[in-house]
Amino acid sequence: MVIYSFFVKGEQIVVQDNSEPDFADNQQQLLDEGYTKQFEELQAASPQAALARFKDIKGEEYKTAHAFTTGGVFTSLIGALLPKG
């Protein structure tokens, strides 16, 4: 299996094989074009499998962050609406 790195610019995600001889050059070119290198580096059998796993991870991060932010707002609203006594 190969280790893949991910670069994001807006909605675009580029998957790069870390073992490619020109990885450093490709990485620099993507950074120069405004892509941001992501922290995650995943081991997978193919770029497609790595991308699917990356999207799963990012989706879970979004759901967790969204749950924390909306949960606090919901709790505050319920507290404000319930009579104190």
Side-chain angles (χ1 to χ4, degrees), residues 6 8 13 38-40 52-64:
F6 304 90
V8 175
I13 302 171
Q38 301 299 295
F39 174 75
E40 296 82 5
R53 180 68 186 125
F54 178 75
K55 286 182 177 182
D56 284 345
I57 290 169
K58 289 299 183 182
E60 288 299 319
E61 287 177 4
Y62 174 78
K63 289 177 191 174
T64 301

Side-chain angles (χ1 to χ4, degrees), residues 8-9 16-17 19 28 46 53 60 68 70-72 74:
V8 175
K9 180 179 177 183
Q16 289 286 309
D17 178 345
S19 65
Q28 190 57 50
S46 69
R53 180 68 186 125
E60 288 299 319
F68 278 113
T70 58
F74 179 73

Side-chain angles (χ1 to χ4, degrees), residues 7 16 22-35:
F7 299 84
Q16 289 286 309
D22 57 349
F23 173 77
D25 293 334
N26 291 340
Q27 174 178 296
Q28 190 57 50
Q29 181 180 356
L30 289 168
L31 294 173
D32 291 345
E33 292 174 9
Y35 284 84

